[in-house]
Amino acid sequence: MSALKERLRADLTTAMKARDKVRSSTLRMSLTAVTNAEVAGAAARELSDAEVLDVLDKEAKKRREAAEAYDEAGRSDLAAKERTEGEIIAEYLPAQLSEDELAAIVRTAVAETGASGMKDMGAVMKAVQPQVKGRAEGGRVAAVVRAELG
Protein backbone atom coordinates (compact mmCIF):
# COMPACT_ATOMS: atom_id res chain seq x y z
CA MET A 1 0.00 0.00 0.00
CA SER A 2 1.28 3.46 -0.82
CA ALA A 3 2.51 5.61 2.05
CA LEU A 4 0.05 8.38 1.18
CA LYS A 5 -2.93 6.01 1.20
CA GLU A 6 -1.76 4.62 4.53
CA ARG A 7 -1.52 8.18 5.90
CA LEU A 8 -5.07 8.91 4.70
CA ARG A 9 -6.36 5.81 6.51
CA ALA A 10 -4.49 6.65 9.72
CA ASP A 11 -5.78 10.24 9.64
CA LEU A 12 -9.32 8.96 9.03
CA THR A 13 -9.07 6.80 12.14
CA THR A 14 -7.79 9.77 14.15
CA ALA A 15 -10.60 12.00 12.85
CA MET A 16 -13.21 9.38 13.69
CA LYS A 17 -11.87 9.04 17.23
CA ALA A 18 -11.92 12.83 17.60
CA ARG A 19 -15.50 12.88 16.25
CA ASP A 20 -14.47 15.39 13.58
CA LYS A 21 -17.33 14.82 11.14
CA VAL A 22 -16.13 17.14 8.36
CA ARG A 23 -12.58 15.76 8.31
CA SER A 24 -13.70 12.13 8.54
CA SER A 25 -16.29 12.49 5.75
CA THR A 26 -13.77 14.28 3.53
CA LEU A 27 -11.12 11.62 4.12
CA ARG A 28 -13.69 8.89 3.47
CA MET A 29 -14.59 10.54 0.14
CA SER A 30 -10.91 10.80 -0.76
CA LEU A 31 -10.21 7.16 0.09
CA THR A 32 -13.27 6.13 -1.91
CA ALA A 33 -11.97 8.06 -4.92
CA VAL A 34 -8.59 6.31 -4.55
CA THR A 35 -10.28 2.90 -4.30
CA ASN A 36 -12.41 3.66 -7.37
CA ALA A 37 -9.27 4.56 -9.30
CA GLU A 38 -7.65 1.31 -8.17
CA VAL A 39 -10.49 -0.86 -9.44
CA ALA A 40 -11.07 1.11 -12.65
CA GLY A 41 -9.87 -0.54 -15.82
CA ALA A 42 -9.35 -4.17 -16.76
CA ALA A 43 -7.72 -5.30 -13.51
CA ALA A 44 -7.60 -4.00 -9.95
CA ARG A 45 -4.20 -2.72 -8.85
CA GLU A 46 -2.50 -0.71 -6.11
CA LEU A 47 -1.87 2.94 -6.94
CA SER A 48 1.53 4.51 -6.42
CA ASP A 49 1.93 7.66 -4.32
CA ALA A 50 2.09 9.72 -7.53
CA GLU A 51 -1.19 8.22 -8.76
CA VAL A 52 -2.84 8.80 -5.37
CA LEU A 53 -1.67 12.44 -5.57
CA ASP A 54 -3.31 12.72 -9.01
CA VAL A 55 -6.59 11.43 -7.58
CA LEU A 56 -6.40 13.85 -4.63
CA ASP A 57 -5.58 16.72 -7.00
CA LYS A 58 -8.71 15.94 -9.02
CA GLU A 59 -10.78 15.80 -5.83
CA ALA A 60 -9.42 19.19 -4.70
CA LYS A 61 -10.19 20.67 -8.11
CA LYS A 62 -13.76 19.35 -7.90
CA ARG A 63 -14.16 21.11 -4.55
CA ARG A 64 -12.83 24.42 -5.94
CA GLU A 65 -15.16 24.27 -8.93
CA ALA A 66 -18.16 23.33 -6.79
CA ALA A 67 -17.42 26.20 -4.39
CA GLU A 68 -17.35 28.64 -7.32
CA ALA A 69 -20.63 27.25 -8.67
CA TYR A 70 -22.29 27.55 -5.25
CA ASP A 71 -21.03 31.13 -4.91
CA GLU A 72 -22.53 32.03 -8.28
CA ALA A 73 -25.82 30.43 -7.22
CA GLY A 74 -25.83 32.42 -3.98
CA ARG A 75 -25.32 29.37 -1.73
CA SER A 76 -22.46 30.61 0.44
CA ASP A 77 -23.12 27.94 3.08
CA LEU A 78 -22.49 25.10 0.61
CA ALA A 79 -19.55 26.98 -0.92
CA ALA A 80 -17.93 27.25 2.52
CA LYS A 81 -18.39 23.49 3.05
CA GLU A 82 -16.73 22.73 -0.29
CA ARG A 83 -13.83 25.08 0.51
CA THR A 84 -13.32 23.41 3.90
CA GLU A 85 -13.21 19.99 2.23
CA GLY A 86 -10.77 21.35 -0.35
CA GLU A 87 -8.49 22.67 2.39
CA ILE A 88 -8.47 19.27 4.10
CA ILE A 89 -7.54 17.54 0.84
CA ALA A 90 -4.89 20.19 0.12
CA GLU A 91 -3.04 19.13 3.28
CA TYR A 92 -2.04 15.95 1.42
CA LEU A 93 -0.94 17.71 -1.77
CA PRO A 94 2.47 19.27 -2.42
CA ALA A 95 2.74 23.01 -1.76
CA GLN A 96 1.55 25.13 -4.67
CA LEU A 97 4.09 27.18 -6.61
CA SER A 98 4.04 30.94 -6.13
CA GLU A 99 3.53 33.18 -9.15
CA ASP A 100 7.24 34.11 -9.15
CA GLU A 101 8.39 30.47 -9.00
CA LEU A 102 5.99 29.51 -11.80
CA ALA A 103 7.09 32.45 -13.95
CA ALA A 104 10.76 31.49 -13.48
CA ILE A 105 10.08 27.90 -14.59
CA VAL A 106 8.17 29.17 -17.64
CA ARG A 107 10.94 31.64 -18.58
CA THR A 108 13.50 28.83 -18.38
CA ALA A 109 11.33 26.58 -20.56
CA VAL A 110 10.84 29.38 -23.12
CA ALA A 111 14.61 29.87 -23.31
CA GLU A 112 15.29 26.11 -23.57
CA THR A 113 12.72 25.54 -26.32
CA GLY A 114 13.62 28.71 -28.22
CA ALA A 115 9.94 29.71 -28.31
CA SER A 116 9.26 32.99 -30.03
CA GLY A 117 5.48 33.34 -30.12
CA MET A 118 2.10 31.81 -29.43
CA LYS A 119 2.69 29.15 -32.08
CA ASP A 120 5.26 27.61 -29.73
CA MET A 121 2.91 27.45 -26.72
CA GLY A 122 2.48 23.67 -27.02
CA ALA A 123 6.22 23.05 -26.87
CA VAL A 124 6.60 25.31 -23.83
CA MET A 125 3.66 23.65 -22.05
CA LYS A 126 5.14 20.23 -22.79
CA ALA A 127 8.42 21.31 -21.19
CA VAL A 128 6.78 22.98 -18.18
CA GLN A 129 4.11 20.41 -17.22
CA PRO A 130 6.44 17.69 -15.82
CA GLN A 131 8.17 20.29 -13.62
CA VAL A 132 4.97 21.70 -12.12
CA LYS A 133 2.81 18.56 -11.97
CA GLY A 134 0.69 18.67 -8.84
CA ARG A 135 2.10 22.04 -7.78
CA ALA A 136 0.22 24.32 -10.22
CA GLU A 137 -3.11 24.00 -11.99
CA GLY A 138 -3.02 23.70 -15.78
CA GLY A 139 -5.06 26.85 -16.41
CA ARG A 140 -2.74 28.89 -14.24
CA VAL A 141 0.31 27.51 -16.07
CA ALA A 142 -1.26 28.25 -19.46
CA ALA A 143 -2.00 31.85 -18.43
CA VAL A 144 1.63 32.40 -17.38
CA VAL A 145 2.90 30.82 -20.63
CA ARG A 146 0.55 33.05 -22.67
CA ALA A 147 1.75 36.13 -20.81
CA GLU A 148 5.40 35.17 -21.37
CA LEU A 149 4.94 34.46 -25.09
CA GLY A 150 2.53 37.32 -25.75
Side-chain angles (χ1 to χ4, degrees):
M1 183 180 306
S2 76
L4 185 55
K5 186 176 174 185
E6 190 62 41
R7 182 176 158 215
L8 284 168
R9 286 181 190 236
D11 289 352
L12 173 60
T13 304
T14 304
M16 289 168 59
K17 286 179 181 177
R19 300 192 192 287
D20 186 343
K21 290 182 180 179
V22 175
R23 180 172 286 280
S24 59
S25 70
T26 302
L27 293 176
R28 269 195 194 104
M29 273 190 285
S30 299
L31 280 167
T32 300
V34 170
T35 302
N36 287 342
E38 287 177 335
V39 298
R45 62 189 179 85
E46 283 284 325
L47 296 182
S48 68
D49 274 346
E51 292 168 320
V52 172
L53 276 176
D54 286 343
V55 171
L56 291 177
D57 194 34
K58 288 177 188 171
E59 290 298 310
K61 184 176 179 183
K62 285 180 190 177
R63 300 307 178 283
R64 281 192 301 273
E65 291 172 351
E68 290 172 14
Y70 284 134
D71 277 337
E72 290 172 11
R75 296 294 308 266
S76 59
D77 54 330
L78 294 174
K81 179 181 180 284
E82 292 292 333
R83 281 195 186 86
T84 303
E85 290 177 357
E87 290 167 6
I88 291 169
I89 294 169
E91 293 173 13
Y92 299 91
L93 297 172
Q96 295 292 300
L97 291 172
S98 70
E99 292 301 320
D100 294 336
E101 292 169 325
L102 183 57
I105 291 171
V106 169
R107 277 194 291 280
T108 303
V110 167
E112 287 174 357
T113 59
S116 59
M118 288 304 291
K119 67 182 181 349
D120 299 321
M121 183 170 174
V124 175
M125 289 293 289
K126 188 175 181 181
V128 170
Q129 283 295 10
Q131 298 175 48
V132 300
K133 187 165 176 55
R135 299 185 305 153
E137 198 172 293
R140 202 173 129 217
V141 175
V144 172
V145 171
R146 270 191 222 98
E148 194 69 31
L149 293 177

